[in-house]
Amino acid sequence: MKPWSQFEKCIEGVNQFYRAKGFGVVEKIPNGTKTIRQGGRQIIVRDSKTGCDFIGHLDGKPIAFDCKLTANKTNFPFGSGKVVTVKPHQKEFLKAFKETGGQSFLLIALENGRRSFLVDIDEYLISEKQLLADGRKSFPLVWLEAFEVDQVNGIVDYRKNIIEYMN
């Protein structure tokens, strides 16, 4: 299993815990895929884009967020070459979701999920613009630390951070 998939599976487990405790319901949005045959083999390819990985509600508030994972220990890159880390359609969806009354975030994990950060989409977009203008290619760890999510026994408990954002 790929590291980003493991991170999402971890978050699915956290969401199941939140549901069992009655805090809310947050579900993974399946990526639009289709199976094609190529050279006698079946290959799964994406056929549509989704605006986020998870959507639902916690503590009565609608939330949507996308999970991002990087192997970097000291920063979260904006991209690598032509590959953008947070795609324009994801930014647009999360911003629109927030503008219409929900809470939108990026859940960013460094070092294979050992440290996680819940960043409000507006904070992300404003800071990304400023850092790019300053010639930066990533969010430094010192910036991310303000958004760090507590982890208890390896479980990413992001609900506390969302409660802080709502207050």
Side-chain angles (χ1 to χ4, degrees), residues 66-70 76-80 82-88 90-91 106 124 128 137:
D66 201 72
C67 292
K68 297 296 178 186
L69 176 71
T70 180
F76 177 69
F78 299 133
S80 175
K82 293 184 179 181
V83 178
V84 179
T85 306
V86 182
K87 309 282 190 281
Q90 294 170 323
K91 293 175 188 177
L106 292 171
Y124 181 90
E128 178 189 49
K137 295 182 180 181

Side-chain angles (χ1 to χ4, degrees), residues 54-67:
F54 293 91
I55 195 164
H57 67 88
L58 276 179
D59 299 304
K61 187 73 171 175
I63 65 166
F65 61 92
D66 201 72
C67 292

